[in-house]
Amino acid sequence: MSNNATQLIHSIPVDPLTGSIAVPIYQTSTFVQEAPGINKGYDYARTGNPTRAVLEDIIAKLEYGKVGVAFGSGLAAIDAVIKLLESGDEILAVDDIYGGAFRLFTHIYQKFGIKVNYTDTTNAENVFHAVTPNTKLIWIETPTNPTLKISDIEAIAKIARANHCLLCVDNTFASPALQQPLLRGADIVVHSATKYLGGHSDLIAGLVVTKEKELGEKIKFIQNASGAILSPFDSWLVIRGIETLPLRIKQHCANAQAVAEFLAIHPAVDKVYYPGLKNHQNHEIAAKQSEGFGGIVSFTLKDDTEEAATAFVTSTRYFKLAESLGGVKSLVCHPAQMTHKSIPAEKRRAAGVSDSLVRLSVGLEEVTDLVSDLDTALNALLNTKTKNKTVTA
Ligand SMILES: *Cc1c(COP(=O)(O)O)cnc(C)c1O
């Protein structure tokens, strides 16, 4: 199933009031009523805003769900999903989980009596064995951040259904341009729209999409009760980002594939993690459930130390050192010292995030420039090493 660019572009409505081809930004807090309770569908902008509603409608369509809800950040979206649970419930989550989700589960929800079990979901059998009678929610990311592990959405959805628990997929890395988890049996999709959906590194936003209307209404209730809405202006920016999503994603995938293939043969590089490489552990599953392998490439260095990684990430020219991903400009990040700092070192290493692991968000620059940038920075590592050796010898 694919999200056709024509359909996507024309699912963004022309304003019915004025004909404005761009979606209007309704910068308002309240809406005038004809009589108490008689209004045009909106009463207060926390509950609903027409600009946000356009975005919510678009993302619901793109993910083939019934209800979309837009939040002030990806973590606010994740938080709303966890609020579906009650004290005593358990979450079964992918071990290589986004650091912020780990922090939220551990430091906020554990004290309210929600337990989280982590397992390697790349093999669906592990999920089958890890489910307990109290598991109410299975949480996966595929590909994961930052080691690009792939889990079989269909196989895990079957296990979720058989055990009467919900399956939520964090679809941030693939985006709906490549992968639609709800069509493969998931109940909920969440996004950090900060990444590919926004696409320009200029906003923070989150989205939840549900397969069923009833569950969507619950998420809307939670949002209205808790308040973590997306502003009209940021909703508008995400809409504008989505207009070019298929085009951008195509180029991100092509550039990332070339970068991954280059890294795989460079002498300073140890392992490359990219689902588009034939030797990736779950390449076949990735090829089955998504239409491309995405724009994120991670790798480790032969010199598996924090020092070598630091030297590398501070010497690239086009890959800017920053957290986040999914924008037009290429970014480089050292998870152990940045995004995954809040995960204890032992746990982090056990999940495959070694000390020298570097994550690239491959942008939309000319791919030859990107490859030559990486080549220069990697060769510098090799040269320093040789120099040190000569000095000590
Ligand atoms: C960035 C990210 C989040 C969190 O989103 P924010 O918009 O930063 O709150 C959640 N999941 C994944 C996979 C992410 O990359």
Side-chain angles (χ1 to χ4, degrees):
M1 192 75 59
S2 114
N3 274 309
N4 176 297
T6 311
Q7 280 167 7
L8 183 152
I9 289 166
H10 289 276
S11 73
I12 300 170
V14 171
D15 178 39
L17 278 180
T18 63
S20 164
I21 197 146
V23 174
I25 299 170
Y26 284 90
Q27 191 70 41
T28 186
S29 61
T30 193
F31 301 83
V32 175
Q33 314 195 6
E34 247 171 72
I38 311 288
N39 57 50
K40 297 183 162 70
Y42 296 94
D43 52 16
Y44 187 59
R46 172 171 18 80
T47 317
N49 173 288
T51 312
R52 196 171 92 220
V54 169
L55 169 61
E56 293 174 335
D57 194 43
I58 295 167
I59 193 64
K61 283 198 183 104
L62 278 179
E63 288 287 6
Y64 295 85
K66 289 267 161 50
V67 179
V69 191
F71 290 84
S73 70
L75 271 170
I78 294 172
D79 180 71
V81 174
I82 306 308
K83 283 181 174 143
L84 291 167
L85 303 179
E86 289 174 20
S87 176
D89 289 349
E90 293 180 10
I91 303 168
L92 178 57
V94 56
D95 54 4
D96 188 21
I97 195 168
Y98 174 70
F102 177 85
R103 183 176 49 203
L104 177 69
F105 293 176
T106 309
H107 296 293
I108 306 288
Y109 282 104
Q110 215 150 273
K111 71 179 179 210
F112 293 113
I114 292 170
K115 200 177 149 204
V116 191
N117 300 308
Y118 294 93
T119 194
D120 176 1
T121 59
T122 57
N123 183 346
E125 232 170 76
N126 294 342
V127 178
F128 178 81
H129 293 297
V131 170
T132 78
N134 293 330
T135 307
K136 292 289 153 59
L137 176 66
I138 298 178
W139 190 280
I140 62 169
E141 296 170 26
T142 180
T144 62
N145 176 28
T147 57
L148 288 305
K149 285 188 190 160
I150 300 291
S151 295
D152 188 330
I153 301 170
E154 257 170 1
I156 295 172
K158 277 190 194 131
I159 297 166
R161 213 170 309 125
N163 289 279
H164 308 288
C165 51
L166 297 170
L167 171 62
C168 181
V169 179
D170 183 333
N171 205 27
T172 299
F173 270 39
S175 96
L178 298 178
Q179 177 171 278
Q180 300 95 33
L182 300 183
L183 292 180
R184 301 198 176 268
D187 303 285
I188 308 169
V189 159
V190 300
H191 278 286
S192 168
T194 310
K195 317 293 166 55
Y196 288 105
L197 290 166
H200 295 75
S201 308
D202 54 9
L203 62 95
I204 301 283
L207 297 163
V208 175
V209 185
T210 62
K211 185 160 60 184
E212 302 301 341
K213 188 156 190 279
E214 203 190 331
L215 195 57
E217 294 305 325
K218 283 186 189 166
I219 296 286
K220 281 197 161 187
F221 180 87
I222 289 168
Q223 180 180 57
N224 190 43
S226 303
I229 55 163
L230 189 63
S231 76
F233 181 66
D234 286 352
S235 298
W236 181 86
L237 275 176
V238 178
I239 294 167
R240 196 174 67 158
I242 289 176
E243 287 182 328
T244 55
L245 180 73
L247 194 62
R248 285 186 287 109
I249 291 287
K250 228 180 260 175
Q251 198 58 43
H252 280 299
C253 289
N255 285 4
Q257 183 76 36
V259 162
E261 286 171 9
F262 158 77
L263 291 170
I265 54 168
H266 197 283
V269 173
D270 187 20
K271 284 199 203 77
V272 181
Y273 301 92
Y274 186 66
L277 293 179
K278 292 258 167 14
N279 67 358
H280 181 281
Q281 180 199 11
N282 278 342
H283 171 74
E284 305 298 325
I285 296 172
K288 178 191 80 172
Q289 69 188 14
S290 58
E291 284 148 73
F293 304 105
I296 308 298
V297 180
S298 292
F299 63 98
T300 56
L301 298 168
K302 284 258 169 64
D303 180 4
D304 188 27
T305 61
E306 216 170 273
E307 293 70 35
T310 304
F312 175 78
V313 300
T314 52
S315 63
T316 48
R317 175 178 170 202
Y318 296 123
F319 285 87
K320 303 293 184 195
L321 179 62
E323 304 218 354
S324 201
L325 55 102
V328 166
K329 278 185 184 160
S330 290
L331 299 179
V332 59
C333 155
H334 184 221
Q337 292 182 90
M338 295 164 75
T339 52
H340 285 57
K341 213 179 162 171
S342 58
I343 300 181
E346 285 317 305
K347 213 176 167 60
R348 167 173 62 72
R349 289 191 194 113
V353 185
S354 82
D355 294 359
S356 75
L357 187 92
V358 169
R359 185 188 75 192
L360 302 176
S361 172
V362 182
L364 302 181
E365 300 91 341
E366 289 298 331
V367 72
T368 45
D369 292 330
L370 295 180
V371 165
S372 104
D373 187 21
L374 296 170
D375 195 32
T376 308
L378 288 168
N379 290 339
L381 289 184
L382 292 176
N383 294 340
T384 335
K385 235 172 133 191
T386 333
K387 228 190 271 161
N388 287 346
K389 246 186 223 147
T390 337
V391 173
T392 37

